Amino acid sequence: MKYLLCLLLVISFPSLAKETIVFGVHSTTAPLEWRDNGVDQGFHVELMNSIGHLLDRPIMVRRKTFQQLMTDMHDIHSPIDVVAVVSPINKRRELSQSDPIYATHAKAFTLQGEDYIDNWSDLAGKRVAVKTGAFVDVFLRDQPQDFTQVKVDLYETGFQKLITKEVDVVLAENFVARRLQPKYPSVRSASDALIFGAFTFVSHPKDAALLHEINDALRQLKISGEYDRLVNKWFGMGREKFDITSTHKKMLILSIVISIISAIGMLYTISVSRSLKFRSEALALELQQREMAEQKIRSLSHQFQAVLNGIPHGMTIFDKQMQCLWSNDNNQLLSHSKLHCVDGTPFDLATSVKSVITSKKSFIADMGYLAQYWQMQIHPITDEQAVVLLEENTEQQHLRQANDEASRLASLGELSAGIAHEINNPTGIIIHSIALFSEAMKDLQPAADYYQQQNPFWLVAGLDPQAAFAEISHSTEVVEESAKRISRIVNDLKRYALPNLASNHQAIGLNEVVQVAQRLTANQLKRYQVRIELAEPSPKINGDAQQLHQVMINLIQNACHATPPGDGVILIKTFSTDTAAGISVQDNGSGMDKATLKRITEPFFTTRRSHGGSGLGLSVCSRILKEHHGHMKVTSTVNEGSCFSLTFSLLVQEGLDASPMTDSNRQEHTNNDSKELNP
């Protein structure tokens, strides 16, 4: 019976008696060449079967590793006739090659977060994994590059070395990398194509005639359209795919044919073929169900990963051995040496994580990194794992500091009012006493003159009486001036701490405010070129004249301090629009830089501390402007001058129309630095 079966097979399939082509393959995944349930399939396998059909020769698939196949191709006694490999474009291997079958390419792959690689020069100095014998390796033999090659047996070995940071870059072929990337989510494509290649059939030179026949058959398949059909089947959808159903149908047809042939003498084969059919259908149904389940799991996994990756804060899971189990790639700061606690103490991530896992208690602390602030949270999630959350809170820290600063300034204002009251009492006594001394010296002068006539050698404090009285008079003036200066500083402090006095406001003219301030500062202004431009009629606002006098006096004095006498020009003018009125004070003095401009209204900030400045003038002005619902715009350029412009709401009275300034009164100001203050 056994001999009868063999005879029937030889009669039915005469091709089995012909010389068989042994096709060596090494890949185990779609779409190129792979095996499922013992059935070899894929683009290369099906293409070689089509070539065998044209050559009327059977094809036998033999599976070996890539390195074994390359060794066989160089062995004249090898049982392998043909293999499919990739060769770089414009470079042929030492072995015999067919026409190109299908194009591919290789590019660089790195860990997430690494720099993009634009060309070969970006690989200089790096450790690059290259698969031994692959087309990338063949290309680099004649194209030496300025990097260190790390030879690996498989591309997957290169990816594993990349994860453990034994290499910096992997140069991998496109089809294999697409298959491996889902298994290694932390690896990403980091370049465009660096090497272009093409799949070809390769054989030992002794099989040159066979390869010539394969080339002729390959060209016929391309002309007939069969090659395009295979390409569209395996690559047309742009993804890896396979068709087990068609394979099972072919197996079923073959089983039926064999069953019919052997039915003459073997009824047993019928039951075997039926069993095979039922088993195939069951496998197809099971495979379909598994594919649906895997698709749902992948979809849920991708959604969960997308949600976690979308979180803007760093999230990392560690085990007790400080191995990173998962991260959304926002954890680079955790291992930075400059990350520290806000109190200045160093931070040790490993110690903190192990303490949280051991104690089962969460750890929350504020951290600092350069000029940024972060909140660190470590929570236990299992007996051996903890999740680390890192959230930036620089803005919250700045707001907290600003609130603390405002509280200190408020306390300083309350304290300054009490200090001012205590200082005013002795200052008043000094001023009153000095006035008494001045009057007494005037009355004593005639008596001193008469006594000197009687006693020419009389001395006062070791000085001639006239010189002594002049020195006493000068000292009295100095003491009185110093006491008044103390009084002015105290009044500034009191003004800074005073509550809102808007209830005392009334209609006032800005021209009168300027004229009063000019008269009060006439002694200082006489050393400068002063120009006054007043809008007519005088713009009216609702306010306190005395407070506005104080603001104008302060701005005029500041302009005098910043402007050199003689060549200094100070322009003071009033202006109005349909809804607003204002005053501007402009000088051509030393100006201010950006850093000074930002702080001019801070209490006690002054650039004239050595000349007796208290730093309260513009602070008080800012408070007064706030009470008058006005605002101040400051423009300044170093070594060119400054311009202070005060703007208020215009008060329009019946029968009085405040007209805007004419073109002749307007003056353009060009400044590099400016600050607009809304008290």
Side-chain angles (χ1 to χ4, degrees), residues 69 89 115 143 153 156 221 239 265 287 428 487 491 500 506 510 515 548 550 608 617 665 667:
L69 291 176
I89 293 179
D115 294 336
Q143 300 286 336
D153 57 342
E156 186 165 10
L221 291 176
R239 62 180 177 88
L287 179 60
S487 180
N491 286 334
N500 193 319
Q506 57 186 356
L510 295 184
Q515 291 166 351
L548 294 179
Q550 182 178 357
R608 301 186 67 258
N665 290 332
Q667 180 173 343

Side-chain angles (χ1 to χ4, degrees), residues 18 37 71 186 202 215 237 379 413 420 428 449 503 537 650:
K18 297 181 180 180
N37 291 333
T71 302
S186 61
V202 173
N215 255 340
M237 299 302 294
H379 304 285
D449 294 341
S503 58
L650 181 66

Side-chain angles (χ1 to χ4, degrees), residues 190-429:
S191 75
D192 295 328
L194 296 176
I195 309 173
F196 292 94
F199 284 98
T200 61
F201 290 127
V202 173
S203 67
H204 191 276
K206 68 180 178 63
D207 296 318
L210 171 63
L211 195 61
H212 180 72
E213 294 179 8
I214 291 175
N215 255 340
D216 289 340
L218 181 61
R219 291 164 189 160
Q220 292 182 43
L221 291 176
K222 290 182 178 180
I223 294 173
S224 66
E226 176 64 14
Y227 171 83
D228 293 333
R229 185 190 70 79
L230 293 178
V231 170
N232 184 64
K233 173 182 178 179
W234 293 101
F235 304 109
M237 299 302 294
R239 62 180 177 88
E240 300 178 0
K241 62 178 185 176
F242 54 89
D243 188 359
I244 291 182
T245 303
S246 62
T247 303
H248 288 309
K249 288 181 179 179
K250 293 178 182 178
M251 293 176 62
L252 179 60
I253 294 172
L254 179 61
S255 300
I256 294 173
V257 172
I258 293 176
S259 299
I260 294 173
I261 295 173
S262 61
I264 300 172
M266 298 182 298
L267 296 176
Y268 176 73
T269 56
I270 298 176
S271 62
V272 173
S273 63
R274 292 183 61 188
S275 176
L276 179 61
K277 176 182 177 182
F278 295 149
R279 180 60 178 166
S280 299
E281 292 176 349
L283 288 175
L285 180 60
E286 181 180 356
L287 179 60
Q288 183 180 8
Q289 293 173 346
R290 287 186 178 183
E291 286 181 345
M292 294 176 61
E294 289 176 359
Q295 181 64 30
K296 291 181 180 179
I297 293 174
R298 284 196 297 268
S299 178
L300 291 174
S301 177
H302 290 162
Q303 291 177 3
F304 182 69
Q305 187 68 37
V307 171
L308 293 178
N309 289 338
I311 297 176
H313 313 307
M315 180 182 296
T316 308
I317 298 177
F318 292 100
D319 61 11
K320 203 167 186 177
Q321 288 72 39
M322 288 306 296
Q323 292 182 342
C324 180
L325 305 179
W326 179 88
S327 175
N328 63 354
D329 295 329
N330 292 326
N331 66 336
Q332 295 88 345
L333 193 61
L334 291 176
S335 58
H336 204 287
S337 59
K338 293 186 179 180
L339 183 67
H340 58 84
C341 298
V342 292
D343 58 3
T345 58
F347 173 71
D348 186 2
L349 177 64
T351 302
S352 301
V353 170
K354 292 178 181 178
S355 175
V356 168
I357 294 176
T358 303
S359 64
K360 305 300 180 186
K361 294 182 180 179
S362 297
F363 169 84
I364 301 176
D366 289 329
M367 314 299 294
Y369 170 72
L370 300 179
Q372 297 177 329
Y373 294 94
W374 301 78
Q375 185 182 68
M376 172 82 68
Q377 298 186 34
I378 307 177
H379 304 285
I381 54 177
T382 66
D383 292 340
E384 298 293 330
Q385 297 177 9
V387 60
V388 180
L389 305 175
L390 193 62
E391 176 183 0
E392 184 180 5
N393 63 350
T394 303
E395 184 176 355
Q396 292 88 328
Q397 286 285 347
H398 288 169
L399 289 175
R400 189 180 307 159
Q401 293 173 359
N403 183 60
D404 294 342
E405 183 68 20
S407 299
R408 286 196 296 272
L409 290 177
S411 300
L412 181 61
E414 296 176 2
L415 180 62
S416 64
I419 294 175
H421 177 73
E422 294 299 326
I423 295 177
N424 258 343
N425 291 334
T427 304
I429 294 174

Side-chain angles (χ1 to χ4, degrees), residues 437-630:
F437 291 158
S438 298
E439 294 299 325
M441 292 303 299
K442 292 178 183 179
D443 294 338
L444 291 174
Q445 184 67 46
D449 294 341
Y450 176 76
Y451 185 75
Q452 186 179 12
Q453 292 176 3
Q454 300 298 322
N455 185 4
F457 302 101
W458 178 50
L459 298 177
V460 177
L463 298 175
D464 180 81
Q466 295 300 326
F469 272 87
E471 184 66 26
I472 292 172
S473 177
H474 175 70
S475 299
T476 302
E477 292 176 357
V478 170
V479 172
E480 183 178 11
E481 179 61 29
S482 298
K484 290 181 178 178
R485 180 178 169 189
I486 293 173
S487 180
R488 286 195 298 271
I489 294 175
V490 169
N491 286 334
D492 286 345
L493 279 170
K494 291 176 66 177
R495 172 61 62 185
Y496 181 73
L498 280 176
N500 193 319
L501 300 176
S503 58
N504 297 327
H505 292 179
Q506 57 186 356
I508 58 173
L510 295 184
N511 288 0
E512 290 75 12
V513 172
V514 172
Q515 291 166 351
V516 172
Q518 181 187 7
R519 288 195 300 270
L520 294 176
T521 57
N523 189 48
Q524 293 175 281
L525 290 176
K526 65 183 180 182
R527 296 180 295 171
Y528 304 94
Q529 302 176 35
V530 181
R531 292 167 50 196
I532 307 295
E533 298 180 3
L534 302 179
E536 293 297 341
S538 176
K540 297 286 186 178
I541 68 168
N542 190 32
D544 186 323
Q546 185 176 1
Q547 289 182 331
L548 294 179
H549 294 162
Q550 182 178 357
V551 173
M552 283 302 300
I553 291 171
N554 190 282
L555 295 181
I556 292 173
Q557 288 177 340
N558 286 350
C560 292
H561 293 153
T563 307
D567 296 334
V569 177
I570 299 177
L571 171 63
I572 306 172
K573 64 180 182 179
T574 60
F575 58 88
S576 66
T577 64
D578 294 338
T579 59
I583 306 174
S584 66
V585 178
Q586 183 179 355
D587 63 71
N588 63 344
S590 58
M592 295 175 283
D593 57 22
K594 292 182 179 180
T596 302
L597 197 61
K598 291 179 180 179
R599 302 185 60 190
I600 57 175
T601 58
E602 290 184 14
F604 308 107
F605 172 77
T606 178
T607 59
R608 301 186 67 258
R609 185 77 63 191
S610 59
H611 296 82
S614 65
L616 288 170
L618 288 178
S619 297
V620 174
C621 292
S622 178
R623 185 187 183 95
I624 293 174
L625 288 175
K626 179 179 179 181
E627 296 172 359
H628 286 74
H629 304 291

